[in-house]
Every structure is written in structure tokens, then in C-alpha cells.
């Protein structure tokens, strides 16, 4: 039963990891920007859910619906007003800019919320489902379903909508997209807005499971980076596969050698993939 419990825990956590990484992968793949503020967006989304519930009694599920448009607008304006000015510069410039923005946002959260860990605890509690010796908390199941729904929505957006096809076109060949009449600057802003919206929503879901602190932003950023490399940059299904693989390795590693080594294992896995299969599990040219 222990193996089944580890497998189910990995499935739940893997879907959440995919939700964390998919926005990061979208921005990296389309804009060629390694968005270092992504982890702080996730923490800010978590604080949005925590604050809405703690201070106003608003359900985290309603906060999820609010987080998506709020973070989309935030990301859209950030790209339009700041990143767009250096989007054609070498990647080091955009890396430095997002690093500076991350420092500002993270320090603002530390100033306002302090570095203490807080936990969003639902009242009454949602309970758990037990089958034989396997136990799964209901809030984790709902968070997993929400993460899968968000991933599926992005997949459908990229496959079925006009703006989604424009995002894929810019990802494949920016110059050809310009010749076909695509407004690349707008697509960049929309892609960055989508990445921010997914980060904010992921933060709301993570608040239901893990304690919140500005100090956790670097951990979330690291997870997103590892999942992108494992799954392959530019693939929605790759992000899901990468998230599941990372969660499975962490789960097995935590069981065998202790949870303190989970982060080390994830980065060992990252190095192995960079050497053996740098394109990741399902990496391909362009989004699906």
C-alpha cells in the first residue's frame, strides 16, 4: 500500500507542478524570456487566496476566478511597459530585468506580510477519502482537478483559438508571423499575461496545500525550471509529463532516503536530462 500511496501523492503533486511550470514554459518558449519573477507571482497568488479567505471569508475557488484576470492584466502591462523595451536585447538583459522585478516584488511581500509562514485552513475542513490504507485529502483532489482544468484550457486555447494559433506562429517563426500580419508585440503581451495568470492561479491552488511565505518563491521558480527541462520547452503535455516525473522522483526519493533530499534529487535529475536528453521528454519545435 505504501507504493500506491506514493504513486497517488506523485500524481496529485505532479499535476500541481505542471500548473506551476506551464506559464513559465509559455513565456520562455514564445518570448525567449526566462521570467525570474514567476515564483513571486505564484506566492502573490497564494497570498491573494489567503487574504481573501482570512479577511473576507471569500472561498479560494472564487479567488481562483479573480486571480486569473487580475494577474493577466498585471502580466500584460508589465510586458507592454517594461519588457517590451528590451525584448530584442540579449537574453542576459531580460534576465537581469526580471531578476530586478522579482527582488522588488519579493521584498515588498516580505515588508507587507513578513517572512512568517501562514497556512490557509478551510473551515469546516474538507476531510479526506480513505480506501484501505490509502488516504487522499479532498482539498488536494480538488486542487489537482483545477490544475488539470487550467492546463487543458491552455491547450485548447493554443489549439482552437485564433490568438492561440498566433502565439504558436510567433513561437515557430517570428518574422514569418509578421509577414502574415500578426501583431507580434500584442502576442508577446498576451503570452506574458497568460503566463502570469497561470502563475497566480497556481499560487491559489498551492495555498490550499502548502504554507505561504515570500521565502518560498525561489523554490517554486526552481520547480518550474526543472519541469520545463524534464518535459521539454514548448509542450503543454511535456509540462504535465515533466511535473509527474519530478513528483514521482521526489516521492520515491523522500520515501527511501528522506524528504530533506527531495530538492537535491530534482536537480540531479535536471543535470541528467541536460546531458542525456536536453530536449526533454516531449520537447518539440513550437507549442501543440
Amino acid at each position: 500500500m505504501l507504493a500506491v500511496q506514493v504513486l497517488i501523492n506523485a500524481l496529485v503533486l505532479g499535476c500541481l507542478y505542471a500548473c506551476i511550470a506551464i506559464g513559465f514554459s509559455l513565456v520562455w518558449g514564445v518570448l525567449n524570456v526566462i521570467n525570474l519573477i514567476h515564483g513571486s507571482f505564484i506566492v502573490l497568488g497564494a497570498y491573494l487566496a489567503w487574504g481573501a479567505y482570512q479577511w473576507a471569508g471569500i472561498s479560494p475557488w472564487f479567488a481562483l476566478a479573480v486571480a486569473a484576470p487580475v494577474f493577466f492584466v498585471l502580466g500584460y502591462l508589465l510586458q507592454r511597459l517594461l519588457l517590451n523595451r528590451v525584448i530584442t536585447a540579449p537574453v542576459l538583459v531580460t534576465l537581469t530585468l526580471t531578476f530586478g522585478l522579482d527582488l522588488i516584488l519579493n521584498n515588498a511581500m516580505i515588508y507587507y506580510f513578513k517572512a512568517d509562514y501562514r497556512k490557509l485552513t478551510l473551515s469546516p475542513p474538507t476531510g479526506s477519502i480513505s480506501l484501505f490504507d490509502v488516504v487522499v485529502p479532498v482539498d488536494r483532489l480538488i486542487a489537482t482537478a483545477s490544475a488539470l482544468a487550467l492546463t487543458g484550457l491552455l491547450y485548447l486555447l493554443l489549439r482552437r483559438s485564433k490568438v492561440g494559433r498566433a502565439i504558436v506562429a510567433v513561437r515557430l517563426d517570428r518574422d514569418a508571423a509578421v509577414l502574415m500580419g500578426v501583431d507580434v508585440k500584442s502576442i508577446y503581451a498576451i503570452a506574458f499575461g497568460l503566463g502570469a495568470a497561470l502563475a497566480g492561479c497556481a499560487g491559489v491552488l498551492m495555498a490550499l496545500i502548502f504554507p505561504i511565505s515570500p521565502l518560498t518563491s525561489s523554490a517554486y521558480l526552481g520547480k518550474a525550471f526543472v519541469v520545463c527541462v524534464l518535459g521539454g520547452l514548448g509542450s503543454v503535455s511535456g509540462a504535465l509529463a515533466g511535473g509527474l516525473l519530478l513528483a514521482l522522483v521526489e516521492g520515491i526519493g523522500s520515501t527511501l532516503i528522506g524528504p530533506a533530499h527531495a530538492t537535491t534529487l530534482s536537480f540531479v535529475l535536471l543535470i541528467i536530462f541536460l546531458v542525456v536528453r536536453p530536449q526533454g521528454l516531449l520537447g518539440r519545435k513550437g507549442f501543440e
Side-chain angles (χ1 to χ4, degrees), residues 93-137:
V93 176
T94 55
L95 195 70
T96 305
L97 177 58
T98 57
F99 177 68
L101 292 172
D102 179 61
L103 286 179
I104 293 171
L105 179 57
N106 200 263
N107 279 284
M109 288 192 292
I110 291 175
Y111 177 80
Y112 189 76
F113 297 108
K114 312 303 178 188
D116 301 334
Y117 283 83
R118 303 161 195 256
K119 183 73 178 73
L120 195 163
T121 304
L122 297 177
S123 180
T126 53
S128 59
I129 297 175
S130 300
L131 184 61
F132 300 106
D133 290 334
V134 178
V135 180
V136 184

Side-chain angles (χ1 to χ4, degrees), residues 183-197:
D183 185 348
V184 173
K185 289 184 178 179
S186 293
I187 293 300
Y188 279 167
I190 291 171
F192 200 89
L194 285 172

Side-chain angles (χ1 to χ4, degrees), residues 5-6 11 20 31 34 78 80 89 95 103-104 109 111 114 126-127 132 172 177 191 198 204 216 232 251 261 274 284:
Q5 183 72 65
V6 170
L11 183 65
I20 285 175
L31 282 75
I34 300 173
L78 197 61
R80 275 289 196 184
L95 195 70
L103 286 179
I104 293 171
M109 288 192 292
Y111 177 80
K114 312 303 178 188
T126 53
F132 300 106
L172 288 170
L198 287 164
V204 173
T216 58
H261 303 288
L274 285 174
R284 62 179 61 180

Side-chain angles (χ1 to χ4, degrees), residues 137-221:
V138 173
D139 55 355
R140 291 198 175 203
L141 282 178
I142 297 174
T144 302
S146 302
L148 282 174
L150 289 169
T151 305
L153 284 173
L154 178 64
Y155 180 83
L156 290 175
L157 176 72
L158 295 175
R159 285 288 297 267
R160 303 294 176 82
S161 70
K162 185 177 178 180
V163 68
R165 289 192 290 272
I167 290 173
V168 174
V170 172
R171 162 69 176 121
L172 288 170
D173 192 327
R174 178 182 180 276
D175 294 332
V178 172
L179 293 175
M180 295 300 293
V182 175
D183 185 348
V184 173
K185 289 184 178 179
S186 293
I187 293 300
Y188 279 167
I190 291 171
F192 200 89
L194 285 172
L198 287 164
C201 291
V204 173
L205 299 179
M206 299 306 280
L208 289 165
I209 300 173
F210 297 109
I212 307 163
S213 169
L215 303 180
T216 58
S217 66
S218 58
Y220 287 136
L221 179 63

Side-chain angles (χ1 to χ4, degrees), residues 251-274:
I252 294 174
S254 298
T255 304
L256 295 178
I257 61 176
H261 303 288
T263 303
T264 303
L265 283 173
S266 66
F267 282 99
V268 169
L269 190 64
L270 169 70
I271 293 171
I272 292 173
F273 262 72
L274 285 174

Side-chain angles (χ1 to χ4, degrees), residues 218-231:
S218 58
Y220 287 136
L221 179 63
K223 301 288 185 194
F225 193 86
V226 174
V227 170
C228 282
V229 172
L230 297 184

